[in-house]
Amino acid sequence: MRNRLALITAEPTAADLAAIDTEWPLIAAELDVLDAEITMLYAEDHGGPSPLDWRRLRRAEARVTRAAAEVNTRTDPGRAA
């Protein structure tokens, strides 16, 4: 039980922080999609999403695609070609 508790309260290692740093652009892009989706849901109560809301969602989704490709390339250098 003591080891289990130590795992829960342990600080992140340098490797953990490096992994988060590497994936942060993807995490941020996914948060942008979530924010755009929430805006779309709220817009349903006010006549529906505007063309600007749809454009914001499409751009956020495109950022996720680009960020995912970039993270994949960084984590697997053999695929960078």
Side-chain angles (χ1 to χ4, degrees):
M1 181 70 159
R2 185 176 179 112
N3 286 341
R4 182 184 241 175
L5 185 58
L7 291 175
I8 293 172
T9 60
E11 295 292 323
T13 66
D16 293 336
L17 294 174
I20 291 169
D21 192 44
T22 299
E23 292 185 19
W24 187 253
L26 178 57
I27 294 167
E30 289 173 338
L31 288 172
D32 287 345
V33 169
L34 180 62
D35 191 45
E37 289 173 340
I38 290 169
T39 299
M40 300 281 281
L41 288 173
Y42 280 118
E44 289 295 328
D45 295 335
H46 302 286
S50 70
L52 184 60
D53 294 330
W54 286 106
R55 184 182 330 163
R56 182 176 177 219
L57 180 60
R58 285 191 309 271
R59 286 182 176 181
E61 290 171 338
R63 276 193 302 275
V64 167
T65 302
R66 287 190 306 270
E70 184 178 324
V71 167
N72 188 37
T73 301
R74 275 195 234 160
T75 58
D76 188 4
R79 288 186 146 186

